Amino acid sequence: MAQLPTWLSRLLVHLRKFYTGTLVAWLVWIIFIDDNNLFVLLENRQKMKELERDLGYYKEQVKLVKKEHKEVFGSNAMLEKWAREKYLMRKPTEDVYVIVDENGQSIEKEE
């Protein structure tokens, strides 16, 4: 193996120190100081997972509401039944009683 000249070996030592120092400074900047540092990145990732879970829940709710909408607005009798059960609407001279099972579902059979 050939020996490097002394000036070249000194230059390489200084360059190695320079690049090592620059790399360390850059890592400190990225991990701790920058606006999008490591802690912010992890917090945002956690929020994103939480929002994705919420998105699944709301998609299910939208499906249920669309199904209910089709059922209710399909006939006038179902619309009246729904208004009476859900919003407790009634005629002035009557009382409305809704009998439900353990799951909170109406026992009356649909037409």
Side-chain angles (χ1 to χ4, degrees), residues 11-72:
L11 179 65
L12 289 176
V13 167
H14 289 300
L15 284 177
R16 189 177 320 140
K17 288 180 185 178
F18 172 76
Y19 285 118
T20 304
T22 303
L23 178 65
V24 168
W26 179 76
L27 286 174
V28 167
W29 179 269
I30 292 297
I31 294 173
F32 299 107
I33 300 172
D34 192 39
D35 288 338
N36 295 319
N37 62 33
L38 185 65
F39 305 113
V40 172
L41 178 71
L42 294 174
E43 183 179 329
N44 287 341
R45 186 168 290 165
Q46 181 181 2
K47 284 181 186 178
M48 187 170 131
K49 287 180 182 178
E50 184 178 316
L51 290 173
E52 285 175 349
R53 280 193 306 267
D54 290 348
L55 180 66
Y57 168 76
Y58 287 120
K59 281 185 178 182
E60 278 298 315
Q61 292 301 315
V62 166
K63 285 180 186 177
L64 292 173
V65 167
K66 284 183 180 181
K67 179 182 173 190
E68 185 178 298
H69 182 268
K70 282 182 183 178
E71 290 174 358
V72 168

Side-chain angles (χ1 to χ4, degrees), residues 37 54 84 90 93 100 103:
N37 62 33
D54 290 348
R84 288 172 178 260
R90 62 181 179 84
T93 59
V100 295
N103 300 326

